[in-house]
Amino acid sequence: MREIISTDKAPGAIGPYSQAIKTGGMVYCSGQIPIDPVTGEFVSNDVTEQTDQVLKNLSAVLEAAGTSLGNVVKTTVFLADMSDFAAMNEVYARYFGENKPARATVQAARLPREAKVEIDCIAVA
């Protein structure tokens, strides 16, 4: 069984995809970028503030699926510039604390709407 997850507490999909899919006891979240779900705009151009908003958005999607960041087992972080790694990592560490999921971090040539960071994740439901 497959359940489409959708919440207005995170930005809506800007293409033909779902915010997340829940299936087989797992939640697969699409990448989130730093859009404030209230304004529909980026929170700022600062990678620290962008990372914070991205993780708030992922948290909202996971909550809608009945889980949380504490149950995340894997993330992929996409950075527009790898020189932003330390700033992103500092914010990321605050959100995951003792729950350190597996992670890949890559520099992408270009992210949607010129975001500096995008993160997707997989969590236990």
Side-chain angles (χ1 to χ4, degrees):
M1 180 138 119
R2 182 182 124 118
E3 179 184 352
I4 294 173
I5 304 301
S6 181
T7 179
D8 61 1
K9 294 181 180 176
I14 55 175
Y17 61 91
S18 300
Q19 288 173 322
I21 299 292
K22 184 175 181 178
T23 186
M26 303 297 289
V27 178
Y28 300 87
C29 292
S30 294
Q32 287 289 324
I33 58 176
I35 295 174
D36 179 321
V38 174
T39 66
E41 300 297 325
F42 278 6
V43 290
S44 80
N45 198 35
D46 176 74
V47 72
T48 300
E49 293 175 14
Q50 285 197 6
T51 303
D52 184 63
Q53 186 64 50
V54 165
L55 290 166
K56 285 178 183 175
N57 292 344
L58 276 175
S59 183
V61 172
L62 290 166
E63 184 179 305
T67 191
S68 69
L69 288 173
N71 289 322
V72 171
V73 295
K74 171 73 169 76
T75 65
T76 306
V77 178
F78 302 93
L79 292 171
D81 186 343
M82 195 58 85
S83 66
D84 288 332
F85 180 86
M88 174 281 301
N89 203 46
E90 184 178 318
V91 176
Y92 182 97
R94 288 195 307 259
Y95 276 83
F96 287 102
E98 293 303 311
N99 172 46
K100 295 176 178 65
R103 179 177 84 182
T105 304
V106 297
Q107 180 171 316
R110 191 169 174 203
L111 294 172
R113 293 180 58 177
E114 305 302 327
K116 291 186 179 228
V117 61
E118 178 176 1
I119 303 174
D120 68 16
C121 72
I122 301 169
V124 176

